[in-house]
């Protein structure tokens, strides 16, 4: 085969060399550029077709021409499949076009190539090869039509894929797709023309048109990198950014915009912004337009009022230089900082609330420390009233205390206009204090003059909002704290203010309860002193029993008042006295089992009360946790007859039964004789006292007192009970 050095050979060699160079460059970009791998095979198939077509035209030997014809079939068979795979890689149209699908597509081209290179089977591909001028003219066989139909169908599918990709592409990226689609259309036109004038053309121009199309594809694929992974990823990130982004060219026209920008500028689609001037898009933001015209990095805080609700935007302009440092465009980034500003306001509000709560905590801590230090109740209550007024920010406040009879509230201290006139109409606050005492809960009145339960009279017109807090110790109210805001103060009572006032009211209730319990303790001490004096009298009576001559004088010295006594009522009074004792443990319950309808007994009411109260106090003191049970019932005693039996049962540990019984015997010198005195007092009533211990239920002290006989007078009953003392 001789290759004359003519211009045709040089052109042919240049085209083939260009296809090979494109294939090599595409293969080197296969990991970074989408579709580069399949484009490599497309360029090689196109180069092989051009080489075979040109070689067939240049070769003079018939055998050489036949060889070039076989190579031409190789390029023609592989080119449609390579084109379809490249188009699919470009736009990802067919998700299932994987390696297995490509292998299935290559079956018919492989059969075609095999038939072309197998001489005994070539007749199924072409029946004869004739020379017309300088060209080989084929007489196609049956398989040639299968090959031609398959190749054209695959090429049409690739063309449809590219056309579909161009139709759905964003407006800014349609230009490269239009160039590629135009190149494919050019190939189809050349191919149709060549098929119509095949006999009159020395060379088939279709492979050369394919080479031109491949060159145009390579320009966009390798030079402009329109299919690089990085630009695609950048576009994906830009599209999904929650903040608005505009890309401007050097002439300040919009090149690209994302969905957030379309929302900010109130357009239907981001492509509606592409091509518009920045002056038109930003006509409502002159400061931002000036920053863009400067062409430097600028950050601005803007109020965006396109929406019904004003937006707060942080705008940033960033110049985009090219490789030579020349300005090629600008990036405009609009960040919505409304949420950030809201978070900042909430943070500042939280800090102010923490400072306020810290002040409230200090107020409550000072009050608690004053209560623990045992400050005078009046002084502590005045301090709590002043602090409550300071917390809610009003000069009008009053503290009410429960009257001694427990039926009404009395104004104890007042500030501002709540002081009132004792001789005038009912001042503001009395009605609020009564409501707080009745409901036993905190309540606020937003508009006091329109409150249905307010005090009548024109004097209440100055008040607007009111807050009433009961002074509760458990469930019992000891008073109320009332605070009133004037009409010039439009603030409501906040939840934190109410919580602090409730805490101060609780401290005031504890102070009042402590004062009352202190008075009760003093009363108990006086009763104990009286009981001790009576114990001395009882001891004298016991000693007098040993001296018959002095018995009558000792008995005359004791002042006993025997009368008809309801022993159940005596037990209830003694239980109330013991239950109000400040030293009583709250974890010990006092249980009363007192049936109704029990007959009376004859005795001294005060002495029976003191004996019962002393036994209850002793049981409470010996019980750490559990209960003390007081049970009263009727029984028949063998020695006394019909009698009432009072049992004081505790759940304490104590000592053994012998030690318990010994506690009621005459004590040694210097020891307390209270229990022995209780036993003597019961025996003085004609009854008896004994004790016993149960391993599970604790100690029990029992008192038996005879029942007043039916129809007997108290004096006769007393004579009957005293008959044995003579």
């Amino acid at each position: 085969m001789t290759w004359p050095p003519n211009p045709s050979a040089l052109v042919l060699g240049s085209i083939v060399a260009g296809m090979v160079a494109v294939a090599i460059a595409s293969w080197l970009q296969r990991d970074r550029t989408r579709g580069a791998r399949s484009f490599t095979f497309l360029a090689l198939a196109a180069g092989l077709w051009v080489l075979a077509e040109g070689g067939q035209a240049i070769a003079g030997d018939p055998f050489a021409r036949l060889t070039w014809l076989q190579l031409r079939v190789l390029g023609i068979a592989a080119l449609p499949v390579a084109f379809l795979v490249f188009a699919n890689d470009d736009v990802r149209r067919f998700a299932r076009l994987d390696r297995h699908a490509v292998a299935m597509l290559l079956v018919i081209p492989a059969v075609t190539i095999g038939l072309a290179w197998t001489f005994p089977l070539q007749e199924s591909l072409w029946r004869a090869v004739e020379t017309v001028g300088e060209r080989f003219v084929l007489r196609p066989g049956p398989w040639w039509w299968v090959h031609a139909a398959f190749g054209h169908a695959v090429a049409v599918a690739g063309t449809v894929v590219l056309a579909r990709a161009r139709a759905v592409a964003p407006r800014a990226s349609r230009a490269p797709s239009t160039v590629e689609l135009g190149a494919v259309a050019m190939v189809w036109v050349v191919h149709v023309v060549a098929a119509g004038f095949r006999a009159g053309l020395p060379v088939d121009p279709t492979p050369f048109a394919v080479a031109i199309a491949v060159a145009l594809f390579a320009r966009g694929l390798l030079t402009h990198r329109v299919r690089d992974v990085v630009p695609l990823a950048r576009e994906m990130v830009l599209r999904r950014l929650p903040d608005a982004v505009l890309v401007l060219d050097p002439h300040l026209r919009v090149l690209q915009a994302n969905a957030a920008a379309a929302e900010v500028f109130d357009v239907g689609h981001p492509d509606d912004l592409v091509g518009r001037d920045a002056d038109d898009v930003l006509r409502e933001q002159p400061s931002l337009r000036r920053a863009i015209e400067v062409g430097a990095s600028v950050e601005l805080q803007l109020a965006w009022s396109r929406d019904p609700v004003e937006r707060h935007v942080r705008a940033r302009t960033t110049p985009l230089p090219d490789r030579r440092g020349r300005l090629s465009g600008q990036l405009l980034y609009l960040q919505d900082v409304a949420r950030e500003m809201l978070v900042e306001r909430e943070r500042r509000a939280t800090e102010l609330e923490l400072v306020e709560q810290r002040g409230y905590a200090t107020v409550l801590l000072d009050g608690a420390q004053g209560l623990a230090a045992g400050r005078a109740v009046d002084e502590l209550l005045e301090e709590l009233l002043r602090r409550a007024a300071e917390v809610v920010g009003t000069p009008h406040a009053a503290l009410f205390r429960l009257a001694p009879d427990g039926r009404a509230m009395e104004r104890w201290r007042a500030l501002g206009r709540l002081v009132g006139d004792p001789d005038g109409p009912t001042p503001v606050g009395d009605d609020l204090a009564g409501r707080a005492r009745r409901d036993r809960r905190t309540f606020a009145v937003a508009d006091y003059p329109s409150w249905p339960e307010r005090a009548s009279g024109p004097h209440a017109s100055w008040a607007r909002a009111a807050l009433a807090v009961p002074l509760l110790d458990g469930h019992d109210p000891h008073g109320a704290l009332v605070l009133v805001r004037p009409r010039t103060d439009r603030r409501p009572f906040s939840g934190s203010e109410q919580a602090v006032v409730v805490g101060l009211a609780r401290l005031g209730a504890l102070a009042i309860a402590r004062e009352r319990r202190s008075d009760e303790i003093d009363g108990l001490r006086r009763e104990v002193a009286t009981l001790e004096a009576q114990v001395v009298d009882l001891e004298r009576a016991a000693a007098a029993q040993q001296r018959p001559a002095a018995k009558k004088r000792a008995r005359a010295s004791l002042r006993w008042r025997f009368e008809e006594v309801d022993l159940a009522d005596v037990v209830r009074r003694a239980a109330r006295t013991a239950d109000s004792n400040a030293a009583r443990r709250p974890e010990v319950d006092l249980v009363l089992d007192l049936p109704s309808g029990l007959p009376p007994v004859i005795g001294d009411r005060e002495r029976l009360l003191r004996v019962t109260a002393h036994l209850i106090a002793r049981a409470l003191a010996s019980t750490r946790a559990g209960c003390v049970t007081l049970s009263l019932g009727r029984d028949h005693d063998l020695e006394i007859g019909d009698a009432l039996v009072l049992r004081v049962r505790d759940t304490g540990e104590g000592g053994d039964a012998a030690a318990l019984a010994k506690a009621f015997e005459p004590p040694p010198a210097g020891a307390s004789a209270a229990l022995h005195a209780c036993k003597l007092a019961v025996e003085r009533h004609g009854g008896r006292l004994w004790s016993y211990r149960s391993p599970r239920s604790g100690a029990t002290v029992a008192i038996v007192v005879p029942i007043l006989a039916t129809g007997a007078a108290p004096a006769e009953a007393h004579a009957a009970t005293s008959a044995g003392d003579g």
Side-chain angles (χ1 to χ4, degrees):
M1 183 179 296
T2 303
W3 290 90
N6 53 33
S8 299
L10 294 177
V11 173
L12 181 63
S14 299
I15 295 175
V16 174
M19 293 296 101
V20 174
V22 167
I24 294 174
S26 177
W27 183 258
L28 295 177
Q29 297 291 333
R30 65 187 183 278
D31 294 332
R32 290 177 292 175
T33 303
R34 189 178 65 190
R37 190 184 302 271
S38 57
F39 185 73
T40 300
F41 296 100
L42 178 62
L44 291 176
L48 181 60
W49 191 3
V50 171
L51 178 63
E53 189 67 30
Q56 183 182 354
I58 296 174
D61 183 65
F63 182 76
R65 287 188 174 185
L66 182 59
T67 303
W68 287 117
L69 178 61
Q70 291 172 325
L71 291 175
R72 178 171 170 262
V73 172
L74 177 61
I76 293 174
L79 186 68
V81 177
F83 174 61
L84 177 60
V85 175
F86 166 70
N88 180 71
D89 290 345
D90 183 18
V91 299
R92 299 293 183 184
R93 177 64 177 168
F94 302 108
R96 294 184 177 273
L97 197 57
D98 52 9
R99 294 182 179 180
H100 300 286
V102 173
M104 296 297 294
L105 290 173
L106 290 174
V107 171
I108 293 180
V111 173
T112 303
I113 295 171
L115 293 176
W117 287 87
T118 306
F119 291 98
L121 301 177
Q122 285 182 352
E123 292 185 357
S124 60
L125 189 60
W126 54 69
R127 295 183 182 277
V129 180
E130 299 177 357
T131 302
V132 179
E134 296 183 357
R135 289 193 60 196
F136 270 10
V137 178
L138 300 177
R139 293 184 181 277
W143 185 259
W144 179 266
W145 299 111
V146 175
H147 155 69
F150 174 77
H152 284 83
V154 173
V156 169
T159 304
V160 171
V161 170
L162 288 180
R164 176 62 179 171
R166 195 266 176 195
V168 300
R171 182 181 301 175
S173 60
R174 286 180 183 176
S177 300
T178 303
V179 173
E180 294 174 356
L181 194 60
V184 173
M186 180 222 20
V187 173
W188 279 107
V189 171
V190 172
H191 179 64
V192 171
V193 172
F197 299 94
R198 181 178 298 274
L201 296 176
V203 178
D204 185 4
T206 304
F208 299 97
V210 172
I212 295 174
V214 169
L216 293 176
F217 280 131
R219 183 174 182 272
L221 186 69
L222 304 177
T223 304
H224 296 291
R225 304 287 180 87
V226 295
R227 294 175 182 82
D228 278 5
V229 175
V230 173
L232 292 172
R234 188 182 301 116
E235 182 179 356
M236 182 66 69
V237 172
L238 180 66
R239 188 184 307 123
R240 296 186 178 182
L241 273 177
D243 299 317
V245 176
L246 293 179
V247 181
L248 308 177
D249 64 4
H251 302 288
L252 301 183
R253 289 191 298 265
V254 179
L255 289 178
Q256 194 173 7
N258 62 351
E263 181 181 354
V264 169
F265 292 101
D266 196 19
V267 296
H269 194 273
D271 291 343
D272 296 336
L273 294 172
V274 177
R276 295 174 57 181
D277 292 334
D279 291 341
D280 181 29
V281 176
L282 303 174
R283 60 181 179 274
E284 298 181 2
Q285 299 294 335
S287 59
L288 186 56
R289 292 205 312 269
R290 289 192 297 269
I292 292 176
E293 292 172 356
V294 172
S297 297
V298 179
E299 182 171 331
L300 302 173
Q301 294 288 128
L302 304 174
W304 210 270
S305 58
R306 281 183 175 269
D307 298 332
V309 179
E310 187 178 57
R311 291 189 179 190
H312 296 273
V313 178
R314 181 183 294 119
R316 299 174 184 172
T317 62
T318 304
L320 303 175
D322 58 9
R323 296 180 180 178
R324 298 182 180 180
R326 297 175 300 184
L327 184 66
S328 62
Q330 294 190 57
L331 180 68
L332 177 59
Y333 182 73
L334 302 176
Q335 182 182 7
D336 190 352
V337 295
R339 184 183 299 274
E340 181 179 335
M341 296 179 65
L342 178 61
V343 171
E344 179 65 20
R345 287 196 296 267
E346 291 179 352
R347 184 188 64 81
R348 293 179 181 177
T350 302
E351 289 181 353
L352 293 176
E353 186 177 355
L354 288 176
V355 172
E356 186 181 45
Q357 294 293 339
R358 192 177 295 113
Y360 294 160
T362 302
V363 170
L364 293 176
L365 181 61
D366 292 343
Q369 289 177 349
L371 181 63
R375 292 174 58 184
V377 175
D378 291 352
E379 180 184 354
L380 182 60
L381 292 178
E382 288 182 356
E383 178 69 14
L384 295 179
L385 176 62
R386 183 181 62 81
R387 288 298 186 96
E390 291 177 356
V391 166
V392 301
T394 179
H396 314 294
L399 192 147
F400 294 79
R401 294 186 64 172
L402 194 64
D405 57 3
R407 297 180 179 179
M409 289 285 192
E410 294 181 351
R411 189 181 300 262
W412 182 75
R413 293 286 189 276
L415 302 174
R417 301 189 66 173
L418 292 188
V419 174
D421 184 5
D423 299 330
T426 303
V428 176
D430 289 9
D431 45 4
L432 297 166
R435 174 69 179 272
R437 174 179 177 268
R438 183 173 67 254
D439 294 349
R440 289 179 171 83
R441 63 178 180 85
T442 301
F443 75 98
V445 178
D447 189 6
Y448 179 78
S450 61
W451 183 41
E453 302 180 28
R454 71 176 178 87
S456 60
H459 63 283
S461 59
W462 64 271
R464 188 187 66 83
L467 178 68
V469 182
L471 276 62
L472 292 177
D473 177 25
H475 191 66
D476 299 328
H478 296 291
L481 193 59
V482 176
L483 301 109
V484 180
R485 280 180 172 156
R487 299 204 65 83
T488 56
D489 191 348
R490 309 299 298 178
R491 295 175 302 155
F493 290 103
S494 64
S496 57
E497 291 175 343
Q498 294 187 32
V500 176
V501 174
V502 169
L504 293 174
R506 173 64 176 164
L507 292 176
L510 292 176
I512 296 174
R514 186 190 65 182
E515 181 184 42
R516 291 187 176 180
R517 287 177 181 141
S518 178
D519 295 341
E520 292 174 356
I521 291 173
D522 292 341
L524 289 175
R525 288 174 178 172
R526 289 191 296 270
E527 290 185 5
V528 170
T530 303
L531 184 60
E532 292 288 345
Q534 292 181 0
V535 167
V536 174
D537 294 341
L538 290 173
E539 290 177 347
R540 292 175 180 174
Q545 290 180 357
Q546 305 299 327
R547 299 189 297 274
K551 180 184 295 186
K552 293 183 179 181
R553 291 194 304 270
R555 184 178 297 167
S557 64
L558 297 177
R559 298 177 180 177
W560 292 77
R561 297 183 181 88
F562 284 91
E563 58 184 339
E564 186 176 318
V565 177
D566 184 358
L567 190 56
D569 181 65
V570 171
V571 174
R572 291 190 190 93
R573 290 177 56 192
R576 283 197 298 269
T577 302
D579 193 40
S580 61
N581 191 348
R584 158 163 147 61
R585 295 187 180 94
E587 58 270 16
V588 180
D589 296 328
L590 191 58
V591 181
L592 301 181
D593 182 13
L594 306 176
S596 59
L598 293 176
V601 298
I602 183 66
D604 189 317
R605 184 184 304 274
E606 292 300 323
R607 283 177 170 79
L608 289 175
L609 175 63
R610 291 190 179 95
V611 168
T612 306
H614 188 77
L615 294 179
I616 296 174
R618 178 189 173 281
L620 289 173
S622 61
T623 304
R624 295 185 177 181
C627 65
V628 172
T629 304
L630 308 178
S631 61
L632 182 64
R634 184 171 183 175
D635 198 0
H636 182 78
D637 190 83
L638 295 177
E639 299 179 3
I640 300 175
D642 287 340
L644 294 183
V645 181
L646 172 64
R647 292 180 174 84
V648 182
R649 181 182 297 108
D650 61 53
T651 57
E653 297 179 359
D656 54 12
L660 180 62
K662 189 176 181 181
F664 293 93
E665 299 299 327
S672 176
L675 293 178
H676 180 60
C678 292
K679 182 179 180 182
L680 293 179
V682 172
E683 293 176 351
R684 182 70 177 83
H685 284 77
R688 61 190 184 92
L689 182 150
W690 76 95
S691 62
Y692 58 91
R693 172 169 292 280
S694 173
R696 296 183 179 180
S697 59
T700 301
V701 177
I703 300 174
V704 178
V705 181
I707 296 175
L708 177 64
T710 304
E716 297 174 354
H718 171 55
T721 57
S722 304
D725 295 337

